[in-house]
Amino acid sequence: MTVERMAGNPGPPAPPRPLDAVDREILALLRANGRASIRSVAEQVHVSRANAYARINRLVEDGVIRGFSARIDHERAGQGASAYITLKIVQNSWRTVREELEALPGATHIALVSGDFDVLLLVHTEDNRALRELVLTRIQAIPEVLSTRTLLVFEETELGRHGPTPFEPAAEQGAPGAPPSDRAR
């Protein structure tokens, strides 16, 4: 162990280890059902529970898996209006603008992009009145924001998710948001 790491300074991250077919299969399973048990994952990818556990821990430690979260039905959660908002911002102000946008209620995705605008922001609000207030009084008040364009979302579909819908129980689930674990049978 290096002195930097022992002193609590993580230093630059290690280069990512290559993923094999089993790792990619584990990621697909967890993407579909982040609450799957280690036993279930191990059975589906045809490895031992110890091997599945070690692989998932390595994927977490390597930063490949950044966390476990719930998929939310925003309309059922009282956020019936969704929109993508494009922003043109002052050159070199990305970090400042990102901090402001992260603090907005209902902001769920922020991306720095290339093209006709600089930032793409996904927001979910209670209704169109709340969306209007968010855009006109919060976002457009950020000094580095030069212009905005709001694109209302009429319907959303998550891609790459082949597991249960957010409100259907899945087999062998643990606590919401918890990483997969072995449970006594």
Side-chain angles (χ1 to χ4, degrees), residues 106-166:
T108 59
H109 183 84
I110 304 167
L112 179 65
V113 297
S114 64
D116 294 336
F117 49 88
D118 304 306
V119 177
L120 182 62
L121 171 67
L122 175 60
V123 297
H124 301 281
T125 61
E126 180 180 319
D127 55 25
N128 284 343
R129 180 180 307 257
L131 176 61
R132 182 186 70 223
E133 290 300 313
L134 182 72
V135 173
L136 298 179
T137 63
R138 299 284 302 270
I139 296 173
Q140 291 183 356
I142 299 171
E144 297 84 2
V145 172
L146 302 174
S147 66
T148 64
R149 175 171 281 167
T150 304
L151 308 166
L152 277 179
V153 174
F154 297 127
E155 185 175 313
E156 292 180 86
T157 302
E158 286 189 51
L159 302 177
R161 308 231 186 244
H162 303 291
T165 61

Side-chain angles (χ1 to χ4, degrees), residues 64-95:
V64 175
I65 295 175
R66 297 185 304 182
F68 298 85
S69 63
R71 295 184 316 234
I72 307 299
D73 181 319
H74 292 283
E75 194 167 335
R76 287 180 178 245
Q79 297 175 314
S82 298
Y84 284 96
I85 303 168
T86 66
L87 295 84
K88 288 187 181 181
I89 61 174
V90 172
Q91 189 172 5
N92 296 322
S93 65
W94 163 241
R95 287 174 184 83

Side-chain angles (χ1 to χ4, degrees), residues 46-57:
H46 309 291
V47 298
S48 69
R49 283 191 289 182
N51 188 332
Y53 183 81
R55 283 173 178 267
I56 291 170
N57 276 346

